[in-house]
Amino acid sequence: MLSQFTRRETLKLTAMATATAMLASQLSADETPNAPAVPVNPHLGKPDAEGITWNKSPCRFCGTGCGVLLGKKDNRIVAMQADRQADVNKGLCCVKGYHVGLILYGQDRLTTPMKRVDGNLVPITWEEATQIIAERIAAKPEAFAFYGSGQQTIPEGYISNKFMKAGLSSNHIDPNARLCMASAAAGYNATYGVDEPAGCYDDLDHCTVLISWGNNPAEMHPVLFSRVMDRRLKGDKVLFIDLTTRRTRSSEQADHVAFFKPNSDLAIANGIIHLLIKKGFLEKDWVKKYYRLRQRVAEYCKDPTKRGDYDAEAINPKNLDGKDISAEEFVKNLEPYTPEYVEKISGVPADLIRLITDKMADPNERVISWWCMGPNQHTRGTAMNSLLHSIHHLSGQWGKIGASALSLTGQPSACGTAREVGTFSHLLPGHLPILNDHYREIAEEIWHVPAGRINPKIGFHTVKMWDEFCKDGGAIDTIWVQVTNPGQTLPNQHKLFLKKKERTGKFLIVSDVYPTATTALADLVLPSAMYVEKNGMYGNAERKTQQWFKMVDPPGQARDDGWQVLAVSRLLFDKGLPGMKDKDDDWIFARTLRNEDGTIPDVWRWEQYYSINVDQRMFEEYRKFTTHKHKDLAPYEEYVAAHGLRWPVIKQPDGSWKETRWRFVEGQDPYVKPGTGIQFYHSNTKDDKAFIWWHPYEAAAEEPDNDYPFWLCTGRVLEHWHSGTMTMRVPPLRRSMPHAYVEMHPDDASALGVKSGDKVEVVSRRGQLALPVWINGRGQPPKGTVFVPFFDERLLINLVTLDAHDPFSKQPDFKKCAVQVRRV
Amino acid sequence: MKPTPTFMIPICAVAIAVALGGLAVGFGNPVAAWHPSERHQVEAPEGVLPAVPYAQMNGKARGPNSIYTSDLRTLVSVPPKTTDPVIQNEADKQAALAKRAARRAYAGAPPVIPHPVNANDVESCYICHGQGLVIDTIVAPKISHQRYTNCTQCHAPVAVGAPGPDEGFVVTNTFQGASGPTHGPRAYAGAPPQIPHPTHMRENCTSCHGVLGKTGMRSTHPWRANCTQCHTPSAMMDQVLFEGASAPPVWMGGM
């Protein structure tokens, strides 16, 4: 092996030889010394002067992954602090994080299993509850589906994934992350051949230009937003450009704000590529050396109302890779996207598109594009994500510190659990595609189950799963929901959720901590332990895996979600269901949990669940999957001893484990061959090249017309997280934002004759909802657009939204549909 | 560039003339400009609003709102002097702690904002809280930490605007927050008390303990500007780690 010094020298030589390697040299070890992982605060775990014992944890809410210290006294959480040793948030949280401990103590916690009898939920025992589930599954395993979450912990996601894919030979398991970041995952895969960002949050400390795409980070990712904006107070120059569909708190701090017409973000990105081509960027050495130009394989479905599974492209998931396009054709396709043409489509001034391109083309600038739900909840979400990566790769705003295309994440473990553990219907753990024979063999080997146990067919994705549950004669009879609230968060609620009421023989099982819109229709409700009432691990949006220990006991009979699945699995094994046996006719989790002396701890009995660390044993088995896609994880103890580690985490000659901050770049990513500078070693074309995409602008699935003249956009607010189940029970947060509303432009409101506080009805072709109007409030939509947040369980805006979705990611578009607004 | 519209030309001419005139006046009688009250006031004809002299423009209320007196500049009270004597008593201290606790879910939580705000504009927060000010009995405390760009990231305001009432969602929360310390420990009678709370995000002691602090929490010696000269913070509470530290040093054991 080359010494560190020699490698650096080699790199310098390469840098001189080609402009391409210049990108890599800017990320060399000289500039970014890889500091050893910060050791865990040694004061944790012991009572302080006030008798409070502090322990570390990642925040329970969004995908930022802030470190929070929780203080415990007398078996209750009594205080919180931002963790100063956590390099994500460096001692600062947001208002949700500062109150995260309060989510445990809503007075209506679910504390006993309940079964619906004559319309009412009546308490039953855990034995009865697990028995009911086991019987439902055993009777018709192929009609059973599991609906998980980006909030499941890594070990709990792993348990449910193995339970379904190894135990029931069923791939009908999908997470709510499908509604949240599936397009981001598809975009990374279409670009790199492997999921998740190449860069990390450290880029935010170095960028000189920040471009927001359909994003309101001041409210949705406030800690990361402040991490950039606070640099300005210290004298750094950061140009912030806000491309948005409505004026938000983020816009207030922007140097340039431009409103674009919904769905026209595709045109804006193409406008930038058009100008980059004019500047000669297609001829750059790095473009020729490291990238291929790609296009989609076939035409998309022309009928926008049938977007989703009916799209021609969706028939073969391998089409995500697309096909080559010649440079001539690439140029020809982008020729029409002049700044003036893009201005006509999008409303963004041509000069701003020129300015953005000039910044991206300037090698002295360091540009970050970041986005979240805007480009993801999009019927062309995969295309839009791919284009965002493309503008960075083409312009060279990639591979140097502070230059990156970063998809932000909404749930605490959408990356760690949904994407990495692969609780999607098309994935195995380690993000291994289930269609691949080789990966299925690997999984059967690790799980020690007979060859052919894993079903080679992709299961139902979220929208399909709930459609099959709700439609007449659908293939799914029973769904078990854990750690999410589909009765509030699925689009087009009438079709995908409420129809359940009209069907017979359907059975909904819900593990949750509070009564929700989902438990309202549940036939069986299981009380769950939450957050620090159990051990856990989460993975955030910069590939960082974080661990925490159980701190307090759950209330009443609430129990861990992971235990619930293990208990049912064991019951099915005892009943003799063949799938619950491994090759040796042992229980499929027996080898995973086995003690060193060969005995199997009986953790399926709740009293024994914490007799060992189940998380650790699940994690150690899961780790074996992670090396196949170079997402190597360290042993469990390493995460106990650190405030998070970003994968791949590689063992060093001295026995220590080192995280990776930038992937695919020599000197940073240990998997990059010395001398290559940049190596996309997971390339879809197996030639170490990433893809730069051509995707056309297309209209949204449903656009306003004479009958439904307004755009409806749905979204979030700072104080509430997800469906508000937790944050609406936190007094300081509810005090600040007690109620949902509809934002309107003053001109639209005056034309309708309504003022702030008046009630209006928002009506789509699918449903309607009456809400108070808010004019010039938190956000200010342009004329012709209304905005409604989805956090309020009394006001379900998803009765109105549509279920059209992206052909690859299958992620629905919650951001655009056509509505009327009527006075009530 | 577009050609200048013709109507702009006379306007420009007038503007230049006024500017030159002003310059001449400025050169001619510099003293008068500094003593506006001495200037001769021309009585306005009936029905005509008197013009405000340039020199008074900054200081004088005018226009249709001139009758309003709720101008921040006229409302701000004079803060206590640093030399004013401070008498401490237990009742004041308990009252101060109770008021403090009412705005925090637990000791150390970022306080909620007790009034409505235009949360989209950070500068409006700094107008009052940047340096702190007092209006009659209402105190706007100076921010206790460095400046940040997004106040409502951590401080939740009172709901304002359209969102309707809290009806239909009344769930109580049984969380009981840590009450926090009531005093700093002293090594011996008469020793300066140690700081009993974290100083992270509370670097500016005068925010609570300065002359605008609540009675009962105010320092008896606000003229001393270097608090940590005598009052020691806790490295443990401030989460300050020393490189390579793997266990708490022995001297921290008692904290």
Side-chain angles (χ1 to χ4, degrees):
Chain A
M1 205 185 110
L2 289 166
S3 75
Q4 185 73 18
F5 180 75
T6 325
R7 245 195 300 146
R8 271 186 222 161
E9 286 299 302
T10 316
L11 192 61
K12 277 182 186 160
L13 291 171
T14 326
M16 278 184 272
T18 62
T20 47
M22 184 192 75
L23 295 176
S25 74
Q26 292 186 31
L27 254 181
S28 76
D30 294 328
E31 194 177 349
T32 62
N34 254 321
V38 183
V40 75
N41 185 333
H43 307 304
L44 300 183
K46 302 173 194 77
D48 69 6
E50 304 290 322
I52 299 172
T53 305
W54 295 91
N55 256 310
K56 69 163 178 143
S57 144
C59 180
R60 172 66 181 76
F61 297 118
C62 80
T64 301
C66 295
V68 186
L69 300 183
L70 284 103
K72 172 183 93 162
K73 196 175 181 180
D74 302 332
N75 200 22
R76 282 176 69 95
I77 299 300
V78 296
M80 285 122 258
Q81 291 179 62
D83 187 346
R84 297 184 76 181
Q85 264 68 50
D87 62 0
V88 170
N89 53 315
K90 305 177 196 300
L92 194 65
C93 281
C94 80
V95 69
K96 294 188 292 296
Y98 280 120
H99 294 97
V100 68
L102 278 70
I103 61 175
L104 273 50
Y105 299 113
Q107 134 274 315
D108 57 343
R109 272 295 290 271
L110 299 171
T111 54
T112 172
M114 288 181 289
K115 183 187 166 187
R116 194 168 298 277
V117 179
D118 300 329
N120 299 317
L121 288 170
V122 295
I124 54 169
T125 65
W126 269 110
E127 287 65 36
E128 289 172 281
T130 47
Q131 198 60 247
I132 292 168
I133 301 173
E135 278 163 18
R136 279 294 303 183
I137 294 172
K140 216 173 167 190
E142 71 281 3
F144 173 78
F146 191 97
Y147 188 56
S149 165
Q151 301 156 58
Q152 282 181 292
T153 67
I154 289 170
E156 291 186 327
Y158 182 74
I159 291 171
S160 57
N161 208 14
K162 183 174 176 181
F163 170 74
M164 290 298 291
K165 285 166 185 164
L168 297 178
S169 297
S170 169
N171 299 329
H172 296 326
I173 171 171
D174 216 41
N176 65 355
R178 180 73 75 179
L179 310 175
C180 176
M181 35 42 64
S183 297
Y188 282 123
N189 273 298
T191 301
Y192 300 121
V194 66
D195 190 17
E196 298 201 30
C200 61
Y201 296 160
D202 297 39
D203 288 321
L204 300 173
D205 303 333
H206 300 276
C207 67
T208 58
V209 179
L210 179 68
I211 309 172
S212 250
W213 293 78
N215 190 13
N216 178 13
E219 292 199 66
M220 303 327 142
H221 294 89
V223 167
L224 296 178
F225 186 65
S226 294
R227 186 163 164 177
V228 185
M229 291 301 132
D230 290 345
R231 286 176 50 209
R232 290 168 154 188
L233 294 178
K234 297 179 179 115
D236 284 5
K237 275 210 161 139
V238 182
L239 185 81
F240 175 36
I241 301 169
D242 186 23
L243 302 173
T244 180
T245 56
R246 83 190 229 276
R247 195 173 182 93
T248 66
R249 277 190 185 172
S250 307
S251 317
E252 299 306 321
Q253 304 205 23
D255 299 281
H256 301 278
V257 183
F259 301 108
F260 64 86
K261 187 189 145 199
N263 235 51
S264 71
D265 42 0
L266 293 157
I268 303 168
N270 279 335
I272 295 168
I273 296 176
H274 169 97
L275 288 175
L276 287 171
I277 292 172
K278 290 275 181 265
K279 286 174 183 281
F281 274 73
L282 271 186
E283 311 305 318
K284 297 282 184 191
D285 288 344
W286 71 76
V287 176
K288 291 181 171 166
K289 192 171 172 194
Y290 297 124
Y291 300 101
R292 272 171 184 268
L293 303 179
R294 297 293 270 198
Q295 62 181 327
R296 62 199 189 181
V297 172
E299 278 298 301
Y300 283 141
C301 170
K302 289 285 181 209
D303 180 356
T305 60
K306 291 197 171 151
R307 270 190 198 162
D309 286 336
Y310 308 100
D311 265 349
E313 290 249 336
I315 294 162
N316 185 354
K318 289 195 171 152
N319 285 349
L320 178 63
D321 300 353
K323 62 180 182 187
D324 281 336
I325 178 172
S326 69
E328 295 72 36
E329 219 185 322
F330 189 84
V331 172
K332 198 181 111 227
N333 289 341
L334 281 149
E335 191 54 42
Y337 289 90
T338 60
E340 282 69 25
Y341 175 67
V342 173
E343 176 175 339
K344 224 169 98 186
I345 297 174
S346 67
V348 175
D351 278 350
L352 185 60
I353 294 163
R354 289 196 183 91
L355 177 105
I356 293 173
T357 314
D358 289 346
K359 291 288 170 191
M360 298 201 76
D362 183 346
N364 295 318
E365 300 285 0
R366 292 165 182 234
V367 183
I368 289 182
S369 287
W370 67 3
W371 66 94
C372 193
M373 290 304 112
N376 290 359
Q377 294 179 334
H378 197 306
T379 51
R380 291 292 174 256
T382 305
M384 189 56 214
N385 272 268
S386 305
L387 288 178
L388 285 167
H389 296 298
S390 297
I391 58 174
H392 279 263
H393 289 296
L394 185 59
S395 63
Q397 288 296 348
W398 188 91
K400 55 183 181 184
I401 309 177
S404 120
L406 178 66
S407 143
L408 301 169
T409 314
Q411 295 189 85
S413 203
C415 287
T417 305
R419 286 152 87 166
E420 291 158 28
V421 174
T423 56
F424 282 96
S425 58
H426 65 290
L427 289 178
L428 288 165
H431 211 109
L432 308 180
I434 211 156
L435 286 177
N436 184 310
D437 299 342
H438 174 59
Y439 289 144
R440 284 201 312 282
E441 281 167 25
I442 287 173
E444 283 159 355
E445 173 85 25
I446 296 173
W447 283 340
H448 198 64
V449 293
R453 170 69 68 82
I454 299 170
N455 188 335
K457 210 172 146 230
I458 292 176
F460 293 149
H461 59 79
T462 297
V463 174
K464 181 91 175 142
M465 180 191 290
W466 288 95
D467 194 29
E468 292 291 333
F469 186 64
C470 285
K471 77 180 183 192
D472 202 13
I476 296 296
D477 289 345
T478 306
I479 298 185
W480 187 351
V481 176
Q482 280 199 336
V483 215
T484 185
N485 188 7
Q488 186 166 346
T489 56
L490 283 170
N492 199 355
Q493 285 281 324
H494 288 291
K495 176 183 169 187
L496 295 181
F497 191 71
L498 296 176
K499 268 274 184 288
K500 189 244 175 201
K501 285 193 253 183
E502 299 167 23
R503 310 281 173 241
T504 50
K506 302 287 178 174
F507 198 78
L508 182 60
I509 306 161
V510 181
S511 304
D512 214 326
V513 298
Y514 289 112
T516 64
T518 310
T519 61
L521 284 200
D523 301 286
L524 188 66
V525 175
L526 307 174
S528 291
M530 73 187 297
Y531 192 34
V532 292
E533 293 166 355
K534 61 186 184 185
N535 289 342
M537 300 180 89
Y538 277 160
N540 81 349
E542 57 159 355
R543 297 177 276 106
K544 186 192 287 278
T545 312
Q546 309 196 64
Q547 176 275 350
W548 76 90
F549 284 126
K550 174 179 169 172
M551 297 178 203
V552 295
D553 290 322
Q557 297 182 53
R559 297 178 183 182
D560 295 31
D561 296 308
W563 173 84
Q564 297 174 20
V565 178
L566 280 180
V568 169
S569 167
R570 180 68 193 191
L571 209 49
L572 286 166
F573 171 77
D574 291 341
K575 284 176 182 293
L577 193 81
M580 292 299 153
K581 292 177 185 164
D582 67 9
K583 265 189 209 167
D584 306 331
D585 284 347
D586 286 331
W587 180 39
I588 49 168
F589 289 102
R591 285 166 69 92
T592 324
L593 295 165
R594 194 165 53 187
N595 293 326
E596 269 176 23
D597 64 6
T599 55
I600 313 295
D602 50 351
V603 294
W604 57 88
R605 292 171 49 219
W606 171 245
E607 313 76 59
Q608 293 301 312
Y609 193 60
Y610 277 89
S611 64
I612 58 163
N613 187 340
V614 174
D615 267 29
Q616 180 167 16
R617 302 208 181 168
M618 292 296 160
F619 188 76
E620 290 304 328
E621 183 175 281
Y622 160 54
R623 272 183 65 214
K624 296 176 190 163
F625 286 89
T626 60
T627 52
H628 295 282
K629 279 251 182 182
H630 301 96
K631 299 185 173 187
D632 313 34
L633 298 173
Y636 183 83
E637 307 85 50
E638 296 299 318
Y639 298 95
V640 175
H643 293 251
L645 294 168
R646 286 166 280 198
W647 57 258
V649 190
I650 306 296
K651 193 169 189 178
Q652 303 299 301
D654 66 358
S656 66
W657 293 78
K658 191 169 144 192
E659 65 169 356
T660 303
R661 292 193 284 174
W662 287 276
R663 290 202 290 168
F664 312 126
V665 178
E666 185 175 343
Q668 290 293 330
D669 183 340
Y671 282 117
V672 172
K673 274 194 213 103
T676 53
I678 292 171
Q679 189 191 7
F680 297 109
Y681 47 76
H682 265 298
S683 166
N684 281 316
T685 39
K686 313 265 182 265
D687 54 359
D688 293 343
K689 289 187 177 184
F691 294 170
I692 291 174
W693 281 88
W694 148 245
H695 280 292
Y697 159 73
E698 291 168 284
E702 184 180 75
E703 302 221 341
D705 52 24
N706 287 337
D707 297 335
Y708 296 88
F710 287 93
W711 286 106
L712 166 68
C713 181
T714 70
R716 282 135 266 266
V717 294
L718 171 68
E719 291 86 351
H720 293 299
W721 189 78
H722 206 235
S723 62
T725 314
M726 296 181 282
T727 49
M728 281 291 269
R729 287 173 170 82
V730 175
L733 301 176
R734 195 172 72 238
R735 166 182 175 271
S736 177
M737 183 54 79
H739 207 278
Y741 51 84
V742 53
E743 287 173 0
M744 285 186 89
H745 189 275
D747 290 356
D748 290 334
S750 113
L752 201 64
V754 292
K755 58 185 190 310
S756 269
D758 289 352
K759 265 198 178 166
V760 296
E761 243 173 3
V762 177
V763 187
S764 77
R765 291 180 175 86
R766 295 153 296 277
Q768 61 190 66
L769 178 70
L771 299 133
V773 174
W774 197 6
I775 299 158
N776 287 332
R778 184 72 66 90
Q780 291 138 45
K783 256 174 102 160
T785 297
V786 296
F787 173 90
V788 179
F790 81 107
F791 68 82
D792 192 335
E793 67 183 48
R794 298 159 298 184
L795 298 167
L796 300 178
I797 192 59
N798 281 321
L799 296 167
V800 179
T801 52
L802 84 174
D803 57 321
H805 48 277
D806 180 272
F808 294 109
S809 69
K810 321 291 185 195
Q811 180 167 358
D813 192 330
F814 292 86
K815 295 288 188 189
K816 303 163 212 83
C817 72
V819 294
Q820 304 166 355
V821 183
R822 299 185 196 140
R823 280 180 73 158
V824 176
Chain B
M1 207 180 132
K2 287 177 187 170
T4 312
T6 45
F7 68 82
M8 287 295 289
I9 293 167
I11 294 175
C12 292
V14 170
I16 291 165
V18 168
L20 289 174
L23 187 68
V25 169
F27 281 132
N29 190 0
V31 178
W34 296 104
H35 298 282
S37 57
E38 293 170 12
R39 283 177 72 107
H40 173 65
Q41 298 284 327
V42 180
E43 205 163 304
E46 203 177 333
V48 176
L49 287 173
V52 180
Y54 279 121
Q56 291 181 6
M57 275 202 166
N58 278 338
K60 187 165 172 149
R62 61 184 182 281
N65 295 337
S66 60
I67 52 162
Y68 293 166
T69 52
S70 60
D71 184 314
L72 197 54
R73 288 163 300 190
T74 58
L75 285 175
V76 172
S77 314
V78 179
K81 291 196 193 73
T82 48
T83 48
D84 287 352
V86 174
I87 312 296
Q88 288 184 327
N89 71 59
E90 191 59 23
D92 282 350
K93 184 172 168 183
Q94 291 305 329
L97 288 170
K99 192 168 181 197
R100 199 182 149 76
R103 291 194 181 141
R104 288 161 177 82
Y106 54 91
V112 296
I113 304 171
H115 55 80
V117 296
N118 170 5
N120 289 349
D121 177 9
V122 176
E123 280 312 310
S124 61
C125 304
Y126 286 126
I127 287 173
C128 298
H129 297 284
Q131 292 303 318
L133 55 78
V134 57
I135 297 168
D136 194 15
T137 57
I138 309 284
V139 174
K142 183 176 182 175
I143 54 169
S144 63
H145 51 72
Q146 67 169 85
R147 282 201 174 206
Y148 289 101
T149 47
N150 193 0
C151 306
T152 49
Q153 171 180 325
C154 303
H155 302 283
V158 172
V160 61
D166 217 350
E167 67 200 13
F169 201 99
V170 185
V171 175
T172 50
N173 190 301
T174 63
F175 175 81
Q176 288 170 323
S179 53
T182 54
H183 62 278
R186 295 174 201 254
Y188 55 90
Q194 299 154 40
I195 300 173
H197 59 74
T199 59
H200 174 54
M201 300 301 283
R202 293 187 238 175
E203 296 89 2
N204 188 345
C205 308
T206 60
S207 175
C208 298
H209 303 293
V211 290
L212 289 186
K214 295 178 184 65
T215 319
M217 209 173 267
R218 217 175 278 166
S219 164
T220 55
H221 44 281
W223 58 86
R224 295 204 187 275
N226 187 6
C227 309
T228 50
Q229 174 184 330
C230 305
H231 304 283
T232 53
S234 157
M236 176 185 156
M237 279 193 262
D238 288 342
Q239 302 177 45
V240 176
L241 296 193
F242 298 99
E243 207 176 338
S246 55
V250 177
W251 53 267
M252 273 186 185
M255 283 299 287

